[in-house]
Amino acid sequence: MRFPQPCRAAGLAGAAQPVTRSWPADFRWGASTSAYQVEGAAAADGRGASIWDTRSHQPGRIANGDTGDQACDHYHRYAEDIALMREIGLDAYRFSVSWPRVLPLGRGQVNPAGLDFYDRLVDGLLAARIEPWLCLYHWDLPQALQDQGGWTRRDSAGWFADYAVLIARRLGDRVKRFATFNEPSVFTLFGYVLDWQAPGVIDRDAYLAAMHHVNLAHGAAVDVLRDLVPDARIGAIHNRQPCRPAGPADGAAAAMFDACWNRAFPDGQILGAYPAELVDEVAPWVQPGDLARICRPTDWFGLNHYSPIYIQADLDAVLGFAWGAPPAERPQTDVGWVIDADAFRDTLTDVHRTYRLPIYVTENGYGGTDAPDAAGAVHDPERIGYLRAYIRAMGEAMDRGADVRGYFVWSLLDNFEWGSGYSQRFGIVHVDYASQRRTLKSSARWYADQIRASRVPTTSA
Ligand code: GCO
């Protein structure tokens, strides 16, 4: 995500012990990345352009004029990165496929070199006994499809399903964990309402059309994956967090934002209905039978969560809401996100009660500005404090009955943080972008301890 809030120090350093409780034996510990944020190699081996290549090359869009052209060069350095994952002891690695790397124009002509990369990545992970978790879409729509209307076109559901067929046929013999979309509510709201992300088309109708067509695309891809990979475990990844009114007059705006942000996608996909606030809004794009097309059985709920959000009314804005300031007294991360582990615990409980699916926390982490010290070490006690508090809160949610099966930290590597470019670092591994040198931060070592400790049977909670 990108929160346009000022930077404030958190002062969350402290207690470095792992969180001990009786973790389920098959609990999965992982780390997440996404294609545009880490791969780089934007012009290598026949890759096509995505809407993020376009946006990052527009002057003034990204902090410091950064682009994902090089990023972490994961495309070439994936083997080194897998070795780091092994060193940390990860059970699972969540990555996304770059649609334009495998289909440079989004459909039609396949790029064999692009598919070969994902073959190598998956084979490398399996050889290291790390389970590949593949997300089909982490925001990098092929520019060629955007030029034809992108998600505002109903045809986009079919384009996405065809792309899913290609990936399932090529990788489905080895990959069994698939996610359709990452945070559909974020890329639609930020891309069509707030102009913080690609494609930056600010238009109410485009937003509502994209919302519905992304939901249709999800349903179509679930069917394809189920058909072609019968033993696949399929889910979608949703951000969810409390959307709090910034002030006493902001309740209605916060409720509308909550419908768009937290419910427009999982409610359609899992409960088969749009939130009441959106039913009339989206109706012009809904055809008979669509909700049944969208609501296909899935196996798990992917939750991305960092922080509560504060919303204020803005009657001039497309849907009447705008980003508000958090209360000043709340602790915040280095990049200005409110730290509230209780909100994470309550969100997990809420997701469990609402959707009744096994939950995997597919993103959670701390944005900072870490730098190596004179000896080259990277110490990030605030990140350790944050991770510890949130993992502990997750344990509390599990004690209260939430069916949480795994946790993926965001992120394995420092990477291209969308509009903030390389100025914000979320990795547990530091990346020196000039040399591409990787350094495990102290949080990576702490996370390794956490994973190891979770394997030791204990009765204390
Ligand atoms: C998102 C994404 C990630 C971000 C992460 C930190 O939520 O925006 O899934 O790509 O980098 O959340 O902002």
Side-chain angles (χ1 to χ4, degrees), residues 139-225:
W139 305 1
D140 45 357
L141 184 73
Q143 181 61 45
L145 297 183
Q146 179 62 30
D147 295 342
Q148 296 162 60
W151 297 116
T152 65
R153 288 263 305 267
R154 193 174 166 98
D155 298 346
S156 57
W159 303 337
F160 188 67
D162 290 346
Y163 159 55
V165 168
L166 176 71
I167 298 303
R169 287 209 174 117
R170 181 63 176 248
L171 298 170
D173 57 334
R174 287 153 291 155
V175 176
K176 302 300 172 189
R177 290 283 181 171
F178 288 93
T180 54
F181 284 89
N182 175 74
E183 299 192 4
S185 71
V186 177
F187 77 78
T188 50
L189 266 172
F190 286 8
Y192 292 95
V193 176
L194 295 168
D195 195 15
W196 289 344
Q197 295 196 344
V201 177
I202 303 315
D203 182 285
R204 180 191 181 96
D205 284 359
Y207 167 64
L208 293 165
M211 174 191 294
H212 188 60
H213 299 149
V214 167
N215 269 329
L216 284 171
H218 160 86
V222 171
D223 284 349
V224 159
L225 292 168

Side-chain angles (χ1 to χ4, degrees), residues 1-2 34 37 94 138-139 182-183 186 197 239 304 306 337 363 410 415-418 424 426:
M1 283 179 297
R2 168 182 180 274
S34 87
Q37 294 179 275
R94 176 190 152 219
H138 201 124
W139 305 1
N182 175 74
E183 299 192 4
V186 177
Q197 295 196 344
N239 57 290
N304 292 358
Y306 296 84
W337 297 14
E363 275 183 36
W410 183 272
N415 59 49
F416 176 82
E417 178 57 20
W418 309 115
Q424 299 188 356
F426 279 82

Side-chain angles (χ1 to χ4, degrees), residues 98-342:
S98 160
W99 186 348
R101 193 179 290 290
V102 298
L103 285 164
L105 298 178
R107 47 198 186 121
Q109 191 66 46
V110 170
N111 178 26
L115 285 172
D116 289 349
F117 166 65
Y118 295 107
D119 259 343
R120 293 194 296 276
L121 176 64
V122 165
D123 288 346
L125 289 166
L126 292 173
R129 296 175 183 251
I130 297 167
E131 187 178 31
W133 284 55
L134 185 156
C135 178
L136 287 171
Y137 189 83
H138 201 124
W139 305 1
D140 45 357
L141 184 73
Q143 181 61 45
L145 297 183
Q146 179 62 30
D147 295 342
Q148 296 162 60
W151 297 116
T152 65
R153 288 263 305 267
R154 193 174 166 98
D155 298 346
S156 57
W159 303 337
F160 188 67
D162 290 346
Y163 159 55
V165 168
L166 176 71
I167 298 303
R169 287 209 174 117
R170 181 63 176 248
L171 298 170
D173 57 334
R174 287 153 291 155
V175 176
K176 302 300 172 189
R177 290 283 181 171
F178 288 93
T180 54
F181 284 89
N182 175 74
E183 299 192 4
S185 71
V186 177
F187 77 78
T188 50
L189 266 172
F190 286 8
Y192 292 95
V193 176
L194 295 168
D195 195 15
W196 289 344
Q197 295 196 344
V201 177
I202 303 315
D203 182 285
R204 180 191 181 96
D205 284 359
Y207 167 64
L208 293 165
M211 174 191 294
H212 188 60
H213 299 149
V214 167
N215 269 329
L216 284 171
H218 160 86
V222 171
D223 284 349
V224 159
L225 292 168
R226 193 72 77 199
D227 192 35
L228 295 175
V229 191
D231 54 348
R233 311 296 290 160
I234 305 165
I237 295 168
H238 302 287
N239 57 290
R240 196 176 178 93
Q241 52 245 105
C243 298
R244 299 177 176 155
D250 300 323
M256 186 59 172
F257 184 82
D258 177 68
C260 295
W261 185 263
N262 281 332
R263 294 180 279 126
F265 293 90
D267 280 19
Q269 294 173 11
I270 303 168
L271 307 179
Y274 278 105
E277 293 89 337
L278 290 171
V279 170
D280 290 344
E281 303 277 353
V282 81
W285 290 275
V286 180
Q287 296 183 8
D290 274 3
L291 266 308
R293 294 183 183 100
I294 290 168
C295 180
R296 313 301 299 152
T298 49
D299 304 303
W300 50 273
F301 187 107
L303 172 69
N304 292 358
H305 179 104
Y306 296 84
S307 173
I309 296 177
Y310 295 83
I311 292 298
Q312 64 186 38
D314 178 353
L315 297 181
D316 294 331
V318 171
L319 285 158
F321 49 67
W323 225 257
E329 69 280 6
R330 297 260 175 184
Q332 299 179 11
T333 67
D334 276 352
V335 300
W337 297 14
V338 166
I339 299 167
D340 184 346
D342 289 352

Side-chain angles (χ1 to χ4, degrees), residues 1-2 29-39 72 90 92-96 133 135 137-139 182-183 237 303-306 333 335 337 344 361-368 370 380 383 386-387 390-391 407-418 421 424-429 433 441 443 447:
M1 283 179 297
R2 168 182 180 274
W29 297 97
S32 296
T33 65
S34 87
Y36 190 71
Q37 294 179 275
V38 300
E39 283 181 6
C72 309
L90 299 187
Y93 175 56
R94 176 190 152 219
F95 63 97
S96 74
W133 284 55
C135 178
Y137 189 83
H138 201 124
W139 305 1
N182 175 74
E183 299 192 4
I237 295 168
L303 172 69
N304 292 358
H305 179 104
Y306 296 84
T333 67
V335 300
W337 297 14
F344 182 43
V361 176
T362 35
E363 275 183 36
N364 174 241
Y366 181 97
D370 327 275
D380 54 347
R383 180 171 291 105
Y386 176 99
L387 294 178
Y390 274 65
I391 289 172
Y407 174 93
F408 292 68
V409 69
W410 183 272
S411 176
L412 177 69
L413 304 169
D414 291 338
N415 59 49
F416 176 82
E417 178 57 20
W418 309 115
Q424 299 188 356
R425 293 178 176 270
F426 279 82
I428 55 172
V429 176
Y433 295 110
K441 301 181 189 176
S443 58
Y447 194 47

